Amino acid sequence: RVPHITMLKQVSSNTRNEIEGSEEGMDSMQNSRILSKTVFDKPGHIWFFTLVLLFFYSGARQLNWRGSFFQTDITEWNAEQIMGRCKIGYPDEEYGGTVYSRIAETEAELNSSFGQDIDIYLWSESCVAVYNSSERDFLYSETQRLALENNVLIGMTFIQKYVDPRDSKGQRPERNMFFISSNNGKIVLDYQKVHPVVGDEINVAPGKYPAKVFSSPFGINIGAAICYDYDFPVFINDAVKEGGMYADLMLQPGWDWGAIGILHARMETIRAIENGVSLFRCSSGGVSGIYDQFGGIVYEKVTNKYVGDGFKVEIPVLPRVGTLYIHIGGLFGYLCIALLLAFLSYPCYTYALKRNQGKSSQNM
């Protein structure tokens, strides 16, 4: 009998342990459900954790985009470099400058030891005034010649002061123009500023279309817009993919004054971040520089209003970074607003729900 009693005790003990174990398992599952319900049953909680994941992903991506996740020395970033030249010029008679002197300045610099290694030569916005079609033709043909002879990409800007025959009404006789000659002597970009500055460029006729992105000899695609154009996110979103290809580098000749120059430089870096492109900004009377796809400052300088000011700097040759913004534009921002409204309205919804439940119980 003793062995039977012992066996019964063991069975009873095992059964009790199983029951206790199952109760613990049920408690654990219940706690998990409560935690899950507590964390994910409200829009605010879901929104918070979504933002945490987005920030984590963004930070990890930025740290790892050069191929090494943690603290790679900047000297080991083996990106190819091209040499960029930003040159400041004005169309005003006060500062001098004609189409002939601008071409002479460009040629002298490219033929000097200073200009031997320049790959992209970019003038600031409206560096010279053009008063007739003969001056315009001269500026184009000579820029093409210099680009071909010196194996350099030249971005030339001008303000057209005469009525163009293509302007049927002629109500705004001026045009703010930017063209680029590639190193083969061909015009690869010919652009009219689409957004003249309100209240300042009252005589400037607006263009209609973004500049087409073109394939450069440096293995990257290049796009462009002029100064105030970059204040319009939707327009730049179109410009970086105009012509059926995506830009890797955007050029921005500009003309600023006062504190707006600092603000503009910061705003335009946002355009670079949104579209995952590098930015080469050359602005008179403001802040110029090179900015990468994450808004990082590769080089920056305050460029004043004096003709001939500017800088020469190495530009990293980097492919564009894919972004959600380039495909959906500001939709994510509107989605955030919708989530905020849902978050703010949720307490009202729960209050109304509880109130209706209370009325139903009273009626019963």
XYZ file of all heavy atoms in Angstrom, residues 311-364:
428
model
N 34.244 81.361 -54.656
C 35.110 80.337 -54.076
C 35.343 79.225 -55.091
O 34.648 79.110 -56.108
C 34.491 79.754 -52.799
C 33.111 79.182 -52.983
C 32.916 77.860 -53.388
C 31.986 79.964 -52.750
C 31.656 77.336 -53.563
C 30.705 79.440 -52.918
C 30.545 78.123 -53.314
N 36.290 78.409 -54.768
C 36.603 77.210 -55.545
C 36.682 76.059 -54.553
O 37.391 76.153 -53.552
C 37.937 77.409 -56.274
C 38.433 76.223 -57.063
C 39.780 76.577 -57.702
C 40.463 75.371 -58.282
N 41.803 75.708 -58.829
N 35.953 74.978 -54.811
C 35.853 73.924 -53.815
C 35.600 72.578 -54.487
O 35.019 72.511 -55.582
C 34.710 74.237 -52.820
C 33.362 74.191 -53.513
C 34.728 73.303 -51.627
N 36.021 71.516 -53.812
C 35.757 70.174 -54.297
C 34.315 69.770 -53.965
O 33.843 69.979 -52.848
C 36.723 69.172 -53.672
C 38.155 69.315 -54.165
C 39.063 68.267 -53.568
O 38.768 67.770 -52.457
O 40.084 67.929 -54.197
N 33.649 69.190 -54.951
C 32.265 68.742 -54.789
C 32.248 67.216 -54.844
O 32.694 66.630 -55.838
C 31.367 69.303 -55.906
C 31.452 70.827 -55.948
C 29.925 68.843 -55.716
C 30.738 71.443 -57.146
N 31.757 66.540 -53.809
C 31.663 65.073 -53.860
C 30.698 64.624 -54.957
O 29.611 65.178 -55.097
C 31.127 64.699 -52.479
C 31.383 65.890 -51.608
C 31.304 67.080 -52.508
N 31.126 63.660 -55.742
C 30.258 63.094 -56.780
C 29.471 61.952 -56.143
O 29.967 60.842 -55.985
C 31.078 62.584 -57.975
C 30.155 61.971 -59.032
C 31.884 63.732 -58.583
N 28.232 62.240 -55.776
C 27.421 61.279 -55.023
C 26.101 61.032 -55.726
O 25.461 61.979 -56.203
C 27.149 61.810 -53.617
C 28.384 62.080 -52.749
C 27.974 62.830 -51.487
C 29.077 60.781 -52.386
N 25.675 59.785 -55.816
C 24.363 59.503 -56.397
C 23.256 59.964 -55.466
O 23.449 60.092 -54.264
C 24.369 57.970 -56.543
C 25.293 57.505 -55.460
C 26.362 58.558 -55.354
N 22.101 60.234 -56.047
C 20.971 60.672 -55.238
C 20.549 59.571 -54.275
O 20.782 58.378 -54.498
C 19.780 61.051 -56.122
C 19.234 59.929 -56.973
C 17.975 60.352 -57.715
N 16.888 60.551 -56.807
C 16.060 59.582 -56.411
N 16.224 58.348 -56.839
N 15.067 59.842 -55.588
N 19.929 59.995 -53.186
C 19.401 59.077 -52.184
C 17.891 58.998 -52.371
O 17.215 60.023 -52.485
C 19.743 59.578 -50.762
C 19.042 58.734 -49.721
C 21.243 59.558 -50.542
N 17.352 57.791 -52.430
C 15.915 57.631 -52.594
C 15.152 58.168 -51.394
O 15.514 57.910 -50.248
N 14.126 58.937 -51.649
C 13.287 59.472 -50.576
C 11.819 59.224 -50.900
O 11.429 59.122 -52.072
C 13.488 60.987 -50.377
O 12.997 61.690 -51.543
C 14.954 61.324 -50.173
N 11.021 59.141 -49.865
C 9.582 58.990 -50.051
C 8.988 60.260 -50.640
O 8.070 60.220 -51.460
C 8.928 58.665 -48.699
C 7.460 58.259 -48.708
C 7.271 56.977 -49.511
C 6.950 58.077 -47.286
N 9.555 61.400 -50.264
C 9.018 62.694 -50.685
C 9.036 62.856 -52.205
O 8.110 63.429 -52.786
C 9.816 63.828 -50.044
C 9.298 65.201 -50.393
C 8.313 65.807 -49.623
C 9.781 65.894 -51.506
C 7.825 67.072 -49.949
C 9.288 67.144 -51.846
C 8.314 67.724 -51.064
O 7.820 68.958 -51.401
N 10.084 62.353 -52.837
C 10.204 62.571 -54.278
C 9.078 61.879 -55.047
O 8.757 62.246 -56.172
C 11.588 62.094 -54.781
C 11.925 62.785 -56.118
C 11.644 60.592 -54.932
C 13.336 62.577 -56.578
N 8.446 60.872 -54.425
C 7.363 60.144 -55.083
C 5.978 60.639 -54.660
O 5.059 60.659 -55.477
C 7.484 58.655 -54.778
C 8.764 58.040 -55.255
N 9.069 57.892 -56.588
C 9.836 57.552 -54.573
C 10.261 57.330 -56.722
N 10.742 57.117 -55.511
N 5.832 61.031 -53.400
C 4.494 61.416 -52.908
C 4.412 62.884 -52.513
O 3.350 63.360 -52.102
C 4.067 60.538 -51.713
C 4.981 60.789 -50.496
C 4.075 59.068 -52.087
C 4.502 60.099 -49.234
N 5.530 63.605 -52.634
C 5.501 65.022 -52.305
C 5.138 65.270 -50.847
O 5.628 64.597 -49.946
N 4.235 66.213 -50.623
C 3.857 66.581 -49.255
C 2.765 65.730 -48.647
O 2.203 66.105 -47.607
N 2.466 64.582 -49.265
C 1.393 63.735 -48.748
C 1.656 63.287 -47.318
O 0.738 63.221 -46.497
C 1.232 62.505 -49.651
C 0.125 61.520 -49.253
C -1.242 62.206 -49.270
C 0.122 60.306 -50.177
N 2.926 63.003 -46.991
C 3.242 62.571 -45.636
C 2.927 63.671 -44.621
O 2.447 63.397 -43.519
C 4.718 62.181 -45.531
C 5.121 61.694 -44.167
C 4.745 60.441 -43.717
C 5.875 62.501 -43.315
C 5.097 59.992 -42.456
C 6.248 62.066 -42.057
C 5.855 60.806 -41.623
N 3.177 64.914 -44.980
C 2.842 66.026 -44.102
C 1.353 66.122 -43.845
O 0.909 66.344 -42.711
N 0.558 65.946 -44.914
C -0.897 65.962 -44.752
C -1.370 64.781 -43.911
O -2.328 64.893 -43.139
C -1.574 65.937 -46.120
C -1.340 67.185 -46.933
C -0.688 67.137 -48.162
C -1.767 68.429 -46.465
C -0.466 68.287 -48.903
C -1.552 69.590 -47.187
C -0.896 69.510 -48.415
O -0.675 70.640 -49.132
N -0.685 63.640 -44.057
C -1.019 62.473 -43.244
C -0.748 62.759 -41.767
O -1.541 62.369 -40.894
C -0.202 61.271 -43.705
C -0.413 59.956 -42.944
C -1.864 59.507 -43.048
C 0.521 58.869 -43.462
N 0.341 63.440 -41.477
C 0.647 63.817 -40.088
C -0.432 64.739 -39.517
O -0.813 64.614 -38.356
C 2.014 64.494 -40.018
S 3.416 63.381 -40.252
N -0.912 65.664 -40.346
C -1.979 66.563 -39.896
C -3.251 65.767 -39.593
O -3.928 66.006 -38.593
C -2.260 67.638 -40.968
C -1.052 68.575 -41.105
C -3.514 68.443 -40.620
C -1.174 69.580 -42.226
N -3.557 64.781 -40.469
C -4.739 63.942 -40.257
C -4.612 63.136 -38.962
O -5.574 63.016 -38.191
C -4.935 63.006 -41.444
N -3.415 62.599 -38.712
C -3.190 61.846 -37.480
C -3.296 62.747 -36.253
O -3.802 62.337 -35.204
C -1.818 61.171 -37.523
C -1.677 59.997 -38.490
C -0.223 59.541 -38.572
C -2.570 58.836 -38.057
N -2.818 63.975 -36.381
C -2.924 64.925 -35.270
C -4.382 65.234 -34.962
O -4.795 65.271 -33.796
C -2.171 66.215 -35.615
C -2.269 67.348 -34.580
C -1.662 66.917 -33.252
C -1.572 68.607 -35.094
N -5.167 65.430 -36.009
C -6.592 65.704 -35.807
C -7.288 64.503 -35.158
O -8.149 64.663 -34.286
C -7.251 66.043 -37.141
C -6.806 67.370 -37.786
C -7.447 67.539 -39.154
C -7.150 68.552 -36.889
N -6.890 63.293 -35.596
C -7.462 62.085 -34.994
C -7.077 61.977 -33.522
O -7.895 61.609 -32.667
C -6.983 60.850 -35.756
N -5.830 62.329 -33.219
C -5.346 62.288 -31.844
C -6.103 63.283 -30.962
O -6.486 62.974 -29.832
C -3.845 62.603 -31.835
C -3.266 62.765 -30.463
C -3.073 61.681 -29.635
C -2.899 64.026 -30.004
C -2.542 61.836 -28.366
C -2.373 64.194 -28.737
C -2.184 63.095 -27.914
N -6.340 64.476 -31.504
C -7.036 65.504 -30.730
C -8.525 65.195 -30.578
O -9.144 65.561 -29.573
C -6.850 66.870 -31.407
C -5.417 67.418 -31.429
C -5.366 68.726 -32.210
C -4.889 67.631 -30.011
N -9.098 64.546 -31.581
C -10.539 64.269 -31.525
C -10.863 62.982 -30.766
O -12.027 62.755 -30.407
C -11.109 64.171 -32.942
O -10.501 63.114 -33.660
N -9.864 62.134 -30.502
C -10.122 60.857 -29.831
C -10.747 61.031 -28.440
O -11.705 60.317 -28.102
C -8.826 60.054 -29.732
C -9.024 58.666 -29.147
C -9.571 57.646 -29.904
C -8.653 58.399 -27.825
C -9.755 56.381 -29.381
C -8.835 57.131 -27.287
C -9.388 56.130 -28.067
O -9.572 54.882 -27.539
N -10.249 61.953 -27.592
C -10.908 62.146 -26.279
C -12.375 62.544 -26.411
O -13.218 62.099 -25.610
C -10.083 63.265 -25.626
C -8.751 63.170 -26.288
C -9.034 62.775 -27.700
N -12.702 63.359 -27.414
C -14.097 63.753 -27.632
C -14.941 62.539 -28.017
O -16.089 62.390 -27.565
C -14.174 64.814 -28.730
S -13.286 66.336 -28.341
N -14.347 61.670 -28.839
C -15.065 60.467 -29.275
C -15.340 59.537 -28.088
O -16.460 59.042 -27.921
C -14.239 59.754 -30.345
C -14.717 58.354 -30.646
C -15.867 58.131 -31.399
C -14.006 57.246 -30.167
C -16.309 56.843 -31.665
C -14.441 55.958 -30.433
C -15.594 55.754 -31.178
O -16.027 54.487 -31.445
N -14.316 59.304 -27.260
C -14.501 58.406 -26.097
C -15.479 59.006 -25.096
O -16.275 58.278 -24.474
C -13.151 58.143 -25.415
O -12.524 59.399 -25.079
C -12.221 57.360 -26.332
N -15.430 60.340 -24.929
C -16.365 60.996 -24.010
C -17.805 60.827 -24.499
O -18.719 60.482 -23.721
C -16.025 62.481 -23.893
C -17.042 63.276 -23.102
C -17.069 63.199 -21.709
C -17.966 64.097 -23.762
C -18.011 63.919 -20.984
C -18.896 64.821 -23.039
C -18.927 64.734 -21.655
O -19.852 65.443 -20.935
N -18.016 61.036 -25.785
C -19.369 60.887 -26.344
C -19.832 59.443 -26.248
O -21.012 59.167 -25.973
C -19.379 61.357 -27.797
N -18.916 58.489 -26.462
C -19.266 57.073 -26.394
C -19.694 56.682 -24.978
O -20.710 56.007 -24.778
C -18.077 56.232 -26.848
C -18.311 54.723 -26.988
C -19.372 54.452 -28.061
C -17.007 54.012 -27.332
N -18.920 57.122 -23.979
C -19.267 56.818 -22.592
C -20.584 57.481 -22.193
O -21.385 56.904 -21.445
C -18.147 57.292 -21.668
C -16.873 56.468 -21.792
C -15.798 57.007 -20.874
C -14.511 56.185 -20.998
N -13.435 56.713 -20.133
N -20.806 58.663 -22.676
C -22.044 59.357 -22.345
C -23.261 58.641 -22.916
O -24.282 58.478 -22.234
C -21.975 60.784 -22.906
C -23.130 61.663 -22.476
C -22.948 63.077 -23.007
N -24.048 63.920 -22.597
C -24.189 65.203 -22.950
N -23.240 65.736 -23.718
N -25.223 65.892 -22.548
N -23.147 58.144 -24.135
C -24.247 57.411 -24.754
C -24.502 56.079 -24.019
O -25.640 55.660 -23.839
C -23.938 57.125 -26.230
C -23.984 58.402 -27.048
O -24.685 59.353 -26.694
N -23.256 58.428 -28.165
N -23.400 55.429 -23.599
C -23.544 54.184 -22.843
C -24.243 54.415 -21.508
O -25.054 53.610 -21.059
C -22.167 53.545 -22.636
C -21.549 52.978 -23.911
C -20.149 52.447 -23.668
O -19.560 52.693 -22.618
N -19.609 51.741 -24.658
N -23.904 55.553 -20.877
C -24.541 55.890 -19.605
C -26.015 56.134 -19.764
O -26.842 55.691 -18.937
N -26.409 56.797 -20.840
C -27.828 57.059 -21.093
C -28.565 55.749 -21.366
O -29.702 55.543 -20.914
C -27.988 58.003 -22.282
C -27.595 59.424 -21.968
C -27.817 60.321 -23.189
C -27.469 61.773 -22.873
N -27.684 62.640 -24.059
N -27.897 54.835 -22.091
C -28.540 53.542 -22.412
C -28.780 52.738 -21.135
O -29.844 52.114 -20.958
C -27.656 52.745 -23.371
O -27.486 53.440 -24.573
N -27.817 52.729 -20.213
C -27.972 51.979 -18.963
C -29.053 52.579 -18.095
O -29.793 51.864 -17.394
C -26.632 51.945 -18.211
O -26.217 53.261 -17.878
N -29.215 53.910 -18.115
C -30.265 54.546 -17.339
C -31.657 54.205 -17.887
O -32.606 53.989 -17.131
C -30.064 56.074 -17.356
C -28.878 56.511 -16.510
C -28.681 58.020 -16.583
O -29.450 58.717 -17.242
N -27.653 58.505 -15.896
N -31.747 54.153 -19.196
C -33.019 53.830 -19.822
C -33.446 52.382 -19.515
O -34.633 52.065 -19.415
C -32.955 54.035 -21.318
C -32.780 55.500 -21.685
O -33.204 56.377 -20.917
N -32.182 55.780 -22.833
N -32.436 51.513 -19.352
C -32.747 50.115 -19.040
C -33.176 49.993 -17.572
O -33.987 49.156 -17.229
C -31.517 49.235 -19.292
C -31.149 49.152 -20.777
S -29.657 48.199 -21.059
C -30.203 46.597 -20.464
